[in-house]
């Protein structure tokens, strides 16, 4: 893996009218195939940063470049799992997942069908394939969104608190699978979460943000300490535990930061 | 059941006197019900204050968003209709209302039947319905793309909004003279007036339906690689379809208002003509029959469209 810059935030700031959401100037360089987790207080601007990568918002100042080229309109190259995890009510569960591949003309229908079955199975929705979204639970709808984005096969995955509404077991399963997909398909992933445990388990690198306006407080290289392979056993190791405590302190400091001012 | 209250009680050390009294009270009640139970339940239950009062079930007939069986709903609908008809019939039969001005339902129905048999009522109804559907189809075909364009593209919206909003407020009857000057008294005038009454309203309704399509749907579509046109047809249009259908159903109803105006002014066929001709001879029962015919056509059309809506949008 060549450590060439892949996704670059170059002197970025973002304002919504008078509201400063990303403080000037935000700089971050993400390598190809890196798994970066954004951690920070709610309302700090993490979603906004992701939406800018997705091309759904434009930076007020500065530039975001992917593979050397400035980011423009949204595209399949940068897939998103939205925080609201919506699905289309007029499509069944499996049609919703298949929608992720609708505009892929580089795949045969047989290939699409295989992928569809695979991702439905992966998120545990095979038995609900023919249900409409209004007949399944919130957690299942979230899994529809995850499966759809994975099926789309984007180079960069932007995941905004994607496992929030899932039960612990399903969550752990999907975390392992996401790590596997990341290693196998060479994806670059930005993942937002509130859960420090999840962050440490998944990340190659954790970026800790301040309260709004978002500033980078810490940039922790997790892979340097835990290595690239993540197994369930890792969760019980002392190493993991210590790292998690360290990150937790950083997040507490970030949240309490403004109380001192 | 009463034991459940104990679970909520705070630990003895942490309670103040008031809570303690409350707790003691509960305990006595529980003791009372427990000891009373084996002996004579009915007699004792009456003398013991009940520890927990459950709310009596609400009367579903008047409960806000209550549930009522399909059968009960249909029976209620039939019942209320029959009641109104009976009051109407009786008030004319008893002479409370002059039957010359308001013929009773029985007479109206009889007239309706006679008009079907001898006065070509069905043909008139057919012509009116045809006019409505032609004008309505024309309005829909034009309004749907324009409305979508207005809310999808800021430029189109900015350009058209003032014009549409202005014309929308013009009362159709005020434009009858102009329309006759332009198109004469033939079919064109009638179609034009109907179109005028619905097209501009529809444009704004369609634009609004499109505006209400959640932004997330659009973003999902783009981030899996849809081009803007694909997003519009595959997602935005599809998402607005149920509310569009509803708006079309409602607008179709308005068409009848404008139709009658058009047929009264310039026509020798159609239900509006029939009603207006009967008025000239003070033939109230024929006027009433014509009005009832319109109501029946409207009712049937609306029910059919509702059924189609249900079939098309099962996922809602
Ligand atoms: N389109 C928008 N217009 C105005 N304010 C916005 C918009 N999107 C987000 N914000 C505001 O920006 C701030 C950061 O939001 P967000 O990026 O969603 O934070 P996070 O994802 O870290 O919780 C919030 O105060 C939010 O209200
Ligand atoms: Mg967020």
């Amino acid at each position: 893996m060549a450590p060439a810059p892949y996704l670059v935030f170059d002197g970025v700031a973002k304002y919504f009218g008078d509201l400063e959401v990303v403080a000037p100037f935000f700089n971050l360089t993400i390598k190809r195939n890196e798994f970066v987790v954004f951690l920070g207080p709610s309302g700090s601007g993490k979603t906004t940063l992701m939406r800018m990568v997705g091309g759904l918002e434009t930076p007020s100042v500065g530039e975001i470049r992917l593979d050397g080229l400035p980011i423009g309109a949204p595209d399949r190259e940068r897939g998103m799992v939205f925080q609201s995890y919506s699905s289309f009510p007029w499509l069944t569960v499996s049609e919703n997942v298949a929608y992720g591949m609708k505009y892929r003309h580089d795949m045969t229908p047989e290939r699409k069908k295989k992928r569809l079955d695979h991702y439905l199975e992966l998120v545990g929705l095979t038995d609900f394939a023919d249900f409409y979204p209004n007949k399944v639970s919130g957690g299942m709808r979230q899994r529809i969104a995850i499966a759809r984005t994975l099926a789309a096969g984007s180079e960069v995955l932007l995941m905004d608190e994607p496992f929030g509404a899932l039960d612990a077991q399903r969550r752990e399963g999907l975390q392992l699978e996401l790590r596997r997909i990341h290693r196998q398909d060479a994806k670059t992933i930005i993942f937002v979460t509130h859960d420090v445990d999840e962050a440490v388990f998944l990340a190659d690198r954790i970026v800790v943000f301040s309260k709004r306006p978002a500033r980078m407080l810490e940039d922790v290289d997790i892979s340097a300490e835990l290595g690239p392979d993540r197994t369930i056993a890792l969760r019980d190791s002392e190493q993991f535990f210590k790292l998690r405590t360290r990150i937790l302190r950083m997040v507490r400091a970030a949240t309490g930061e403004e109380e001192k001012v | 059941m009463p034991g459940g209250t104990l679970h909520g009680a705070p630990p003895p050390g942490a309670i103040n006197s008031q809570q303690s009294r409350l707790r003691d009270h509960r305990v006595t009640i529980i003791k009372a019900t427990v000891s009373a139970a084996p002996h004579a339940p009915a007699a004792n239950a009456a003398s013991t204050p009940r520890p927990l009062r459950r709310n009596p079930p609400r009367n579903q007939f008047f409960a806000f968003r209550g549930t009522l069986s399909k059968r009960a709903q249909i029976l209620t609908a039939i019942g209320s209709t029959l009641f109104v008809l009976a009051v109407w019939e009786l008030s004319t039969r008893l002479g409370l209302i002059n039957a010359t001005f308001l013929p009773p339902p029985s007479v109206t129905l009889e007239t309706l039947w006679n008009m079907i048999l001898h006065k070509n009522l069905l043909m008139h109804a057919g012509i009116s319905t045809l006019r409505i559907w032609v004008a309505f189809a024309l309005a829909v075909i034009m309004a749907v793309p324009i409305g979508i364009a207005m809310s999808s593209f800021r430029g189109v919206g900015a350009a058209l909004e003032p014009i549409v909003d202005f014309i929308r407020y013009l009362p159709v009857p005020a434009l009858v003279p102009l329309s006759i000057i332009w198109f004469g008294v033939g079919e064109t005038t009638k179609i034009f007036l109907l179109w005028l009454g619905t097209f501009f309203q529809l444009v704004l309704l369609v634009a609004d339906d499109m505006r209400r399509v959640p932004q997330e749907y659009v973003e999902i579509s783009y981030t899996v690689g849809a081009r803007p046109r694909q997003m519009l047809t595959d997602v935005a249009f599809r998402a607005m379809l149920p509310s569009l259908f509803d708006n079309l159903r409602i607008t179709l109803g308005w068409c009848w208002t404008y139709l009658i105006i058009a047929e009264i002014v310039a026509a020798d066929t159609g239900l509006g003509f029939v009603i207006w001709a009967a008025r000239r001879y003070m033939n109230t029962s024929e006027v009433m029959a014509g009005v009832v015919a319109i109501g029946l056509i409207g009712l049937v059309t609306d029910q059919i469209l509702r059924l189609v809506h249900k079939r098309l949008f099962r996922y809602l």
Side-chain angles (χ1 to χ4, degrees):
Chain A
M1 202 207 316
Y6 179 57
L7 179 61
V8 180
F9 294 80
D10 187 1
V12 169
K14 179 69 182 174
Y15 307 88
F16 287 113
D18 288 339
L19 189 74
E20 189 184 9
V21 177
V22 177
F25 296 95
F26 180 72
N27 295 298
L28 181 69
T29 302
I30 294 171
K31 293 191 288 275
R32 193 187 287 275
N33 196 20
E34 202 166 25
F35 197 135
V36 180
V37 171
F38 285 1
L39 262 178
S42 153
S44 67
K46 305 179 296 294
T47 297
T48 306
L49 275 168
M50 282 210 157
R51 289 174 60 81
M52 290 195 287
V53 178
L56 303 171
E57 304 281 359
T58 43
S60 309
V61 180
E63 190 176 70
I64 302 174
R65 286 187 300 274
L66 184 66
D67 221 1
L69 296 173
I71 275 168
D75 201 340
R76 191 176 58 80
E77 178 186 55
R78 288 152 283 135
M80 276 192 93
V81 178
F82 295 87
Q83 204 168 357
S84 56
Y85 52 92
S86 34
S87 46
F88 300 138
W90 61 89
L91 298 180
T92 62
V93 168
S94 81
E95 286 165 344
N96 261 290
V97 174
Y99 184 77
M101 299 178 283
K102 187 176 171 79
Y103 307 108
R104 292 206 64 162
H105 305 298
D106 55 337
M107 283 183 192
T108 61
E110 296 76 48
R111 174 97 198 283
K112 284 184 182 177
K113 178 79 181 81
K114 269 186 95 169
R115 279 174 72 93
L116 172 62
D117 290 341
H118 169 74
Y119 287 112
L120 278 175
E121 184 70 47
L122 175 66
V123 296
L125 285 176
T126 309
D127 292 342
F128 297 89
D130 296 327
F131 282 50
Y132 283 107
N134 68 345
K135 294 284 187 294
V136 305
S137 69
M140 287 190 204
R141 280 203 285 276
Q142 193 165 18
R143 285 183 264 152
I144 297 175
I146 295 165
R148 179 185 56 224
T149 307
L150 293 177
S154 311
E155 298 300 310
V156 179
L157 285 180
L158 306 164
M159 309 185 83
D160 199 355
E161 307 188 24
F163 301 158
L166 303 184
D167 56 84
Q169 211 165 348
R170 183 81 63 189
R171 204 176 167 126
E172 195 168 73
L174 279 169
Q175 286 169 358
L176 282 166
E177 185 59 27
L178 186 60
R179 247 337 263 200
R180 193 189 64 71
I181 289 169
H182 161 69
R183 300 224 42 199
Q184 182 184 304
D185 297 358
K187 302 284 185 204
T188 308
I189 299 177
I190 302 181
F191 189 104
V192 173
T193 179
H194 277 123
D195 183 340
V196 173
D197 193 271
E198 179 169 84
V200 174
F201 184 77
L202 285 175
D204 289 324
R205 184 178 172 192
I206 293 179
V207 176
V208 181
F209 286 94
S210 67
K211 280 187 173 180
R212 197 191 73 222
R215 267 173 291 111
M216 194 201 304
L217 294 182
E218 309 273 355
D219 184 353
V220 189
D221 189 344
I222 301 290
S223 275
E225 311 204 19
L226 295 183
D229 293 320
R230 309 296 161 87
T231 56
I232 299 182
L234 182 72
R235 274 224 159 84
D236 301 326
S237 70
E238 199 189 329
Q239 209 181 2
F240 183 86
F241 186 77
K242 274 186 180 157
L243 196 53
R244 202 191 60 177
T245 313
R246 210 177 106 203
I247 304 287
L248 199 57
R249 287 218 184 91
M250 291 177 185
V251 172
R252 287 213 190 102
T255 316
E257 193 192 46
E258 258 164 48
E259 284 159 13
K260 281 180 274 173
V261 178
Chain B
M1 255 292 288
T5 54
L6 263 185
H7 288 296
I15 46 175
N16 61 31
S17 64
Q18 204 180 359
Q19 277 172 324
S20 140
R21 242 181 289 129
L22 188 67
R23 196 172 65 104
D24 290 343
H25 178 58
R26 281 176 183 164
V27 170
T28 34
I29 291 167
I30 291 157
K31 274 182 192 152
T33 35
V34 166
S35 60
H39 306 302
N44 267 325
S47 59
T48 322
R50 293 192 52 104
L52 287 167
R53 267 192 51 192
R54 228 175 294 140
N55 289 330
R58 291 210 169 77
N59 176 348
Q60 288 299 307
F61 204 87
F62 291 113
F64 181 64
R65 289 173 188 168
T67 53
L68 205 57
S69 76
K70 196 88 204 155
R71 199 156 148 260
Q73 285 185 47
I74 291 172
L75 287 178
T76 310
I78 293 174
S80 72
T81 312
L82 287 180
F83 177 75
V84 170
L85 289 176
V87 170
W88 177 8
E89 181 81 37
L90 277 179
S91 52
T92 46
R93 294 266 173 215
L94 298 176
L96 298 176
I97 298 174
N98 185 341
T100 323
F101 293 112
L102 186 67
S106 56
V107 175
T108 307
L109 273 183
E110 198 187 326
T111 314
L112 191 66
W113 183 240
N114 282 332
M115 287 168 85
I116 289 173
L117 291 183
H118 309 297
K119 291 199 166 173
N120 271 332
L121 188 70
L122 289 184
M123 180 209 68
H124 288 293
I127 288 175
S128 287
T129 310
L130 193 67
R131 281 174 186 149
I132 280 186
W133 278 100
V134 169
F136 186 66
L138 214 62
V140 172
I141 288 168
M142 294 170 73
V144 169
I146 293 176
I148 288 176
M150 267 178 72
S151 63
S152 304
F153 313 113
R154 292 228 194 269
V156 181
L160 295 184
E161 196 114 18
I163 306 170
V164 173
D165 240 352
F166 172 73
I167 299 180
R168 185 171 76 108
Y169 279 108
L170 299 182
V172 169
L175 290 164
V176 169
L178 255 189
S179 145
I180 290 180
I181 291 171
W182 290 344
F183 303 113
V185 291
E187 287 304 308
T188 321
T189 291
K190 286 172 234 79
I191 303 293
F192 172 72
L193 288 174
L194 281 179
W195 174 86
L196 195 68
T198 45
F199 170 75
F200 292 95
Q201 309 281 351
L202 211 44
V203 165
L204 294 183
L205 288 173
V206 172
D208 215 44
D209 287 341
M210 179 53 95
R211 209 166 287 129
R212 277 202 303 266
V213 171
Q215 179 64 15
E216 282 138 27
Y217 293 180
V218 177
E219 294 178 346
I220 289 172
S221 184
Y222 280 148
T223 51
V224 300
R227 304 285 116 220
R229 180 171 306 211
Q230 292 169 321
M231 183 282 295
L232 263 180
T233 53
D234 296 349
V235 172
F237 183 68
R238 193 61 191 71
M240 74 183 275
L241 222 47
S243 61
L244 176 66
F245 191 94
D246 257 338
N247 276 327
L248 294 186
R249 183 174 62 81
I250 292 163
T251 323
L252 182 64
W254 300 346
C255 270
W256 283 97
T257 318
Y258 305 121
L259 176 83
I260 300 310
I261 293 167
E263 287 182 344
I264 281 175
V265 172
D268 46 15
T269 50
L271 289 174
F273 162 77
V274 169
I275 292 171
W276 203 241
R279 178 211 64 109
R280 223 170 291 153
Y281 307 107
M282 270 296 275
N283 194 340
T284 347
S285 57
E286 283 199 4
V287 173
M288 282 301 298
V291 171
V292 167
I294 293 173
L296 286 177
I297 294 173
L299 186 71
V300 170
T301 315
D302 208 66
Q303 291 303 317
I304 291 174
L305 290 180
R306 273 170 199 271
L307 203 74
V308 172
H309 187 282
K310 234 186 194 163
R311 283 280 151 83
L312 282 180
F313 308 116
R314 279 176 200 280
Y315 56 85
L316 288 177

